[in-house]
């Protein structure tokens, strides 16, 4: 990992900034569930874990950082937080770019930019998880493959303002693989 990023990561995690990071992620989680409220109402409760990808990602990183600070690290939560924030942070930013016209027709430019940059921040914060356990990453990776399958074969994916969701689906699968490779490189 880049020394500059390692210094930033250590500064955040070794000072009280980690509390601000957790708070920001919890606010993002709450907003994310608000954002997904209509879709959750229309989806079986059994599938909810596959619907609210970004809010569950930010909740995961908040929990992983908090547990780490409390000395109760969980390797599966760390792997989930790493892969989820990297994947869904990048996926959302890419999908916002691919379907720019559709998203800007239903959101203000301010909201569009907020969603874009906050999700890029999610991808960056994935690397606050210093090391990822390979076994845990493998298990979590299987969950993400199942999630991609449900999203694009059974329509559980987040709302995309287009009838052509092929690019969104290909991006999701590609980012699952990239996330697994990045986690493998970042393993303990």
């Amino acid at each position: 990992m880049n020394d500059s990023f390692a210094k930033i990561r250590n500064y955040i995690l070794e000072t009280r900034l980690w509390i601000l990071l957790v708070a920001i992620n919890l606010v993002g989680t709450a907003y994310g569930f608000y954002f997904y409220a209509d879709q959750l109402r229309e989806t079986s409760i059994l599938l909810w874990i596959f619907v609210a990808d970004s809010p569950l990602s930010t909740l995961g990183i908040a929990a992983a950082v908090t547990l780490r600070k409390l000395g109760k690290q969980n390797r599966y939560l760390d792997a989930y937080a790493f892969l989820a924030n990297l994947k869904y942070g990048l996926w959302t930013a890419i999908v916002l770019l691919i379907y720019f016209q559709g998203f800007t027709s239903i959101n203000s430019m301010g909201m569009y930019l907020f969603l874009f940059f906050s999700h890029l921040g999610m991808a960056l914060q994935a690397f606050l998880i210093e090391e990822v356990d390979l076994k845990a990453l493998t298990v979590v990776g299987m969950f993400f493959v199942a999630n991609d399958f449900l999203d694009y074969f059974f329509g559980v994916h987040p709302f995309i303002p287009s009838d052509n969701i092929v690019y969104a689906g290909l991006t999701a699968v590609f980012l699952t693989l990239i996330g697994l490779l990045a986690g493998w490189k970042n393993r303990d």
Side-chain angles (χ1 to χ4, degrees), residues 142-173:
M142 288 188 291
F143 169 80
F144 280 96
V145 169
N147 193 0
D148 291 343
F149 181 77
L150 287 169
D151 279 356
Y152 297 101
F153 285 95
F154 292 97
V156 180
H157 60 81
F159 170 74
I160 298 169
S162 174
D163 291 332
N164 182 1
I165 61 166
V166 171
Y167 298 118
L170 291 173
T171 301
V173 171

Side-chain angles (χ1 to χ4, degrees), residues 130-149:
E130 188 172 0
E131 296 177 334
V132 181
D133 177 83
L134 193 52
K135 180 180 175 188
L137 183 66
T138 302
V139 171
V140 169
M142 288 188 291
F143 169 80
F144 280 96
V145 169
N147 193 0
D148 291 343
F149 181 77

Side-chain angles (χ1 to χ4, degrees), residues 53-95:
D53 300 322
S54 291
L56 289 173
S57 302
T58 54
L59 181 61
I61 195 88
V65 168
T66 300
L67 286 178
R68 187 172 286 241
K69 293 303 290 182
L70 296 174
K72 299 180 180 190
Q73 183 177 347
N74 180 294
R75 64 187 181 155
Y76 291 96
L77 182 58
D78 285 352
Y80 175 81
F82 174 80
L83 189 54
N85 278 273
L86 184 62
K87 176 183 178 172
Y88 294 118
L90 291 175
W91 180 87
T92 302
I94 291 167
V95 167

Side-chain angles (χ1 to χ4, degrees), residues 33-43:
F33 279 114
Y34 168 77
F35 181 85
Y36 281 102
D38 290 338
Q39 186 174 356
L40 290 171
R41 275 192 286 278
E42 296 174 8
T43 304

Side-chain angles (χ1 to χ4, degrees), residues 98-125:
I98 292 171
Y99 301 101
F100 176 82
Q101 285 187 313
F103 280 111
T104 54
S105 71
I106 58 174
N107 293 297
S108 69
M109 185 55 73
M111 177 56 76
Y112 176 88
L113 292 172
F114 167 74
L115 292 171
F116 181 80
F117 287 111
S118 64
H119 282 82
L120 285 180
M122 284 174 58
L124 286 175
Q125 77 180 1

